[in-house]
Amino acid sequence: MLAYQHAYHAGNFADLHKHLLANTLAEHLLRKESPVTFIDTHAGRGWYPLAARETEQLREYEQGVLPVWQVRDRWLTDAGEPAPGATDKPLARWLARLADMQPESGKGAPSTLSVYPGSPWWLSQALRQGDRLLAYELHPGEIYHFDQAPVQRDSLGKVMRRQQDGLSGLLAAVPVTTPRVAVLIDPSYELKNDYRDVADVVVETLRKSRHATIMIWYPLLPAGRQHDLLERLKKQSPAPMWRSELVIDSPEGDHGMYGSGMLVINPPWQFDRQFSDAMQEVVEVLKGALPAPQSVAVEHKGLWWLSEEVARARSEPKPMPRERLLALRKLNQKVKRDADVEVTQAKPKREKLKRGEGWAKPRVRNDSATPKAKGKRHSATAKPKTSIKAQIKDQVHGHSAPSEKRVSEKPAERKSTSRPEPAQPRGKGEMAGKAAGKDSASWSDWSSSMPGKGRREGSTRVSKRSTPAIGRDGQVNSSSTTKLPRKYAARQRPEDTSDVGKPLDAREARALREKQEHNAMKGKATKGSPDKVSGEYLPATGAGRGRASSSILRVTPAA
């Protein structure tokens, strides 16, 4: 609802109470050098001529600001300045500013009260560089008059006017960029839900900005709706709160406002004392100006709605009950035990991986008679968990079996009970072996199938696999990791004998190499001639070449 217009009630006793408190609190906040952001959620017009049609209709200012203005000589001089003995009184400074904004103030002390300012004007008069004011107003008619009001504006943007709901704008504005913030909330309370909405917004504002100073105006009604607002804030707010209520009539009937209330959250130090003294002077003036039945009920009440001690105790963390504390301790001990067990179980596995023993189980073919698929690797040896880079290197160099460094040397860790099949070479020989009946000479060393143009047939290339070294006495040293040339790698033949796929060990390869080098030096080796000692065929090397061919085959003569 947007039916309420404050112009009909400008200058009444509620404005006197509210604006005097806002001006006094702003003076307290501006004593410090740190910047402040003032937020007015319901700004109104900001400027109210008392001769306007809406104001003259009810003339409520006659029971509010006008009686105090008529006795201003108690606190002001003839020039409109605070008297020497009243400079420290909030009411004197407030009247001095009210006199200074009258149109006749330039000609001397004004004699009549023709204009009364709204809350944005009172909050904007003492702004310094770095301070600012955010004024919200939703009513389109009020915001039009607000734009025409002489509220202080300069190039620094101290005053910002926004046509928006004040409560939602407040939640969007906090936390502010300045170190401190002061908020004035004075809705019309046209709806019953306004009391609940204000309480919810204030609690959320304090959650975002804990030390925010909030001024909340509420009417004193016979129905007592203001108690819902006060009780909600007392239960949910963690900050100290001080109440100030000005009563000008007895609560009779069901309608009508008999007083004005202000709730200050996080008030400045000694603010309650100074403002209570100022309101006592206002009560004395109103008692003499109002009619006899009404003047008896005029009074001011100031009390702490939530004291600082209670608020501090509420904000501090409460000690945990003993039963809850013991339960949490048992839970923490259980979680710690479970974590220790998990770490203990995972430690052997990590150590095994560090030693290179955490490989997967060997893959064993169920049917050994099944022919191998083209391009697939069928090896019964344990498959190491190698990296992608190592797998690509094995594919490029034609390695048919994993490196001896990566294969576990502990047979007990291999859980497979089936007998693994011997490893078969990859490359051209694997594909050529599928063609049955081919001559054994078509099978070549798998190392010769490595990619590369212009590769010499008998070139020596050091393999990266580790091979046990052979001493001069012909014994294999298993503890040595000497890297031998690739020419000592396993050779295989295509005949279907008992030795098919059986690789040469280092000792046999060494013996074959010595015999081949011996024959090459004498020039006695011929192609296809069997060796008399071992019975194995040796290819021709050519006289004077000085090195063996890379196509050594191990062949067992047929019976």
Side-chain angles (χ1 to χ4, degrees):
M1 296 179 63
L2 298 175
Y4 180 82
Q5 295 185 14
H6 191 67
Y8 292 93
H9 313 279
N12 61 357
F13 69 96
D15 279 357
L16 174 62
H17 181 211
K18 174 176 56 180
H19 295 158
L20 180 58
L21 185 143
N23 185 75
T24 306
L25 189 139
E27 290 178 350
H28 275 264
L29 294 178
L30 295 176
R31 291 176 183 176
K32 294 184 179 180
E33 297 181 357
S34 57
V36 185
T37 297
F38 294 95
I39 300 178
D40 192 351
T41 59
H42 299 78
R45 299 185 181 183
W47 187 265
Y48 301 96
L50 298 182
R53 176 181 58 83
E54 299 88 352
T55 309
E56 285 290 336
Q57 184 173 351
L58 297 178
R59 301 177 66 89
E60 291 187 2
Y61 63 90
E62 294 182 352
Q63 296 183 354
V65 64
L66 185 59
V68 181
W69 172 262
Q70 294 175 349
V71 295
R72 63 185 182 279
D73 297 339
R74 300 181 184 179
W75 303 278
L76 301 180
T77 61
D78 296 340
E81 299 293 334
T87 55
D88 59 339
K89 294 184 177 182
L91 184 57
R93 294 190 297 270
W94 182 82
L95 286 172
R97 288 189 175 180
L98 182 61
D100 186 61
M101 61 92 57
Q102 301 302 319
E104 301 178 358
S105 60
K107 303 178 182 179
S111 57
T112 58
L113 181 65
S114 58
V115 178
Y116 184 78
S119 56
W121 187 91
W122 291 107
L123 294 176
S124 65
Q125 290 305 300
L127 293 182
R128 308 158 303 180
Q129 186 174 1
D131 302 334
R132 62 174 183 166
L133 170 64
L134 297 177
Y136 294 94
E137 179 56 49
L138 185 60
H139 199 288
E142 297 291 293
I143 197 67
Y144 171 77
H145 293 284
F146 189 19
D147 292 337
Q148 307 300 323
V151 179
Q152 179 180 346
R153 287 186 298 178
D154 52 17
S155 59
L156 297 178
K158 294 181 180 179
V159 179
M160 285 170 281
R161 315 179 186 189
R162 297 177 181 176
Q163 185 176 2
Q164 183 183 353
D165 178 60
L167 298 179
S168 61
L170 171 61
L171 294 179
V174 293
V176 296
T177 57
T178 57
R180 296 179 295 164
V181 59
V183 184
L184 175 60
I185 303 176
D186 58 335
S188 59
Y189 297 100
E190 295 179 88
L191 302 176
K192 297 180 180 179
N193 295 334
D194 290 346
Y195 297 94
R196 182 184 58 191
D197 296 341
V198 170
D200 296 340
V201 169
V202 169
V203 172
E204 182 65 17
T205 302
L206 291 175
R207 187 188 66 81
K208 292 184 175 182
S209 183
R210 178 181 177 183
H211 301 285
T213 301
I214 303 178
M215 300 168 283
I216 306 173
W217 177 83
Y218 57 92
L220 298 182
L221 303 175
R225 298 175 183 173
Q226 68 276 5
H227 298 296
D228 184 18
L229 170 65
L230 297 174
E231 292 297 334
R232 283 177 177 269
L233 291 176
K234 188 175 184 179
K235 293 179 180 179
Q236 302 178 12
S237 175
M241 294 181 289
W242 184 74
R243 290 174 56 182
S244 173
E245 293 182 355
L246 175 62
V247 180
I248 63 169
D249 202 352
S250 57
E252 297 179 357
D254 298 334
H255 302 282
M257 184 175 63
Y258 67 89
S260 170
M262 290 292 296
L263 182 67
V264 184
I265 302 177
N266 286 323
W269 183 63
Q270 293 185 350
F271 167 78
D272 54 330
R273 298 180 181 179
Q274 295 187 8
F275 186 73
S276 298
D277 296 341
M279 288 305 301
Q280 292 298 330
E281 298 177 348
V282 172
V283 168
E284 294 178 1
V285 174
L286 294 180
K287 282 186 176 182
L290 296 179
Q294 186 178 359
S295 60
V296 178
V298 176
E299 63 175 344
H300 174 262
K301 300 178 182 179
L303 69 157
W304 283 96
W305 185 237
L306 186 63
S307 63
E308 296 182 359
E309 292 76 10
V310 176
R312 189 182 302 109
R314 182 180 297 182
S315 60
E316 292 179 354
K318 297 181 180 179
M320 186 177 297
R322 181 176 178 80
E323 295 78 7
R324 177 62 176 170
L325 182 61
L326 295 177
L328 288 179
R329 287 180 179 177
K330 292 182 180 179
L331 180 61
N332 292 337
Q333 293 175 0
K334 182 179 181 303
V335 171
K336 187 176 180 181
R337 287 196 302 268
D338 296 344
D340 294 342
V341 171
E342 183 178 357
V343 171
T344 305
Q345 294 177 354
K347 187 175 181 180
K349 186 176 181 181
R350 290 198 301 267
E351 296 296 334
K352 187 183 297 183
L353 291 176
K354 289 180 181 179
R355 296 193 302 265
E357 302 171 359
W359 311 126
K361 297 180 180 179
R363 184 174 60 181
V364 181
R365 294 175 56 184
N366 297 329
D367 187 6
S368 59
T370 304
K372 299 177 182 180
K374 181 179 179 181
K376 291 187 178 180
R377 175 180 176 180
H378 293 269
S379 177
T381 58
K383 294 185 178 180
K385 299 179 182 178
T386 57
S387 62
I388 301 299
K389 183 177 180 181
Q391 294 177 13
I392 295 175
K393 179 181 268 187
D394 290 345
Q395 294 177 7
V396 171
H397 294 289
H399 293 176
S400 61
S403 174
E404 293 182 7
K405 282 186 177 180
R406 297 193 298 265
V407 179
S408 175
E409 297 179 1
K410 295 184 178 180
E413 295 179 2
R414 303 181 183 179
K415 298 182 181 179
S416 177
T417 58
S418 59
R419 183 177 181 180
E421 294 185 1
Q424 299 292 342
R426 295 188 304 173
K428 297 180 180 179
E430 182 180 355
M431 298 178 62
K434 294 185 179 182
K438 284 192 175 182
D439 186 53
S440 61
S442 62
W443 285 74
S444 60
D445 178 25
W446 60 271
S447 61
S448 63
S449 63
M450 295 173 57
K453 296 183 179 179
R455 186 176 182 273
R456 294 169 57 185
E457 184 178 357
S459 62
T460 301
R461 189 164 182 146
V462 178
S463 174
K464 289 187 177 181
R465 67 178 59 194
S466 299
T467 309
I470 302 175
R472 293 185 179 182
D473 55 353
Q475 298 297 328
V476 179
N477 185 8
S478 59
S479 62
S480 177
T481 57
T482 305
K483 297 182 180 179
L484 298 180
R486 187 181 294 275
K487 63 173 65 176
Y488 300 124
R491 272 77 172 175
Q492 297 176 351
R493 67 176 185 176
E495 285 78 0
D496 188 10
T497 63
S498 59
D499 293 336
V500 172
K502 182 177 180 180
L504 293 175
D505 56 8
R507 185 174 182 179
E508 293 174 348
R510 181 69 173 271
L512 288 178
R513 180 177 177 278
E514 291 177 355
K515 291 181 179 181
Q516 188 176 5
E517 290 180 353
H518 179 72
N519 294 336
M521 293 296 295
K522 293 184 177 182
K524 295 181 180 182
T526 58
K527 183 177 182 180
S529 60
D531 186 75
K532 296 180 181 181
V533 178
S534 62
E536 297 181 356
Y537 288 85
L538 301 176
T541 59
R545 293 187 62 178
R547 60 177 67 184
S549 173
S550 64
S551 60
I552 300 175
L553 300 176
R554 176 173 178 156
V555 181
T556 303

